[in-house]
Amino acid sequence: MSLDGIKGKMQQLRADADASSAKADELAAKVKTLEQENLAKEQEITSLTHKNQTMEAELEDLHGRHNDLKKEVDQSGHQGTQNEALQRRLQILEEEAEEADKSLRETNDKLRQTDVKAGHFERKVQALESARDQWEEKYEEMSKKYAQVKKELEDLALEIGNI
């Protein structure tokens, strides 16, 4: 093997090592970005869960008020104007309950979607971490090969120098 061939091989190994290092850095940055996105999604899940719990409590309260008003309407059936006022209040509460139900369903849908997205990002982070680990292993192999070729070159140069 000629000296030029060894130098060429060393340059190729350096280029491969540099490319591997750049790819590992790129993947590490991508993993960090995805972890930040995952954290944001988890915070959004927490927020939506809290909102969901609040709305469920509000819905239960509205149902309780609805039942109370229904009882009041039934008890005061003989009083016409009061009955009409209670009917209007009952209708308003029913509309509020429907709005709360709709909002609760939307919040639950958003929660499910966010949960699915979080799972997707977790799988993506795992895949990127695996790819990063493979690149790091390849980089370590290339570094060992580089050190070995460098030692061979030094040995060859020493032999040539002794000649």
Side-chain angles (χ1 to χ4, degrees), residues 1-15:
M1 201 175 205
S2 73
L3 187 57
D4 289 339
I6 292 175
K7 284 183 180 180
K9 188 173 182 181
M10 281 184 60
Q11 288 176 344
Q12 179 62 39
L13 285 173
R14 281 186 190 136

Side-chain angles (χ1 to χ4, degrees), residues 8 19 29 38 41 43 47 53 57 65 76 83 100 116 129 143 153 161:
N38 193 24
K41 293 298 179 187
Q43 289 172 346
S47 173
Q53 291 170 348
R65 287 175 37 197
S76 63
N83 189 20
V116 167
E129 287 175 345
S143 293
L153 179 63

Side-chain angles (χ1 to χ4, degrees), residues 58-80:
E58 182 178 313
L59 180 62
E60 287 178 19
D61 182 48
L62 287 174
H63 281 297
R65 287 175 37 197
H66 176 262
N67 290 336
D68 291 344
L69 289 175
K70 260 188 171 178
K71 288 176 188 175
E72 287 179 28
V73 167
D74 291 340
Q75 291 172 358
S76 63
H78 61 284
Q79 301 170 2

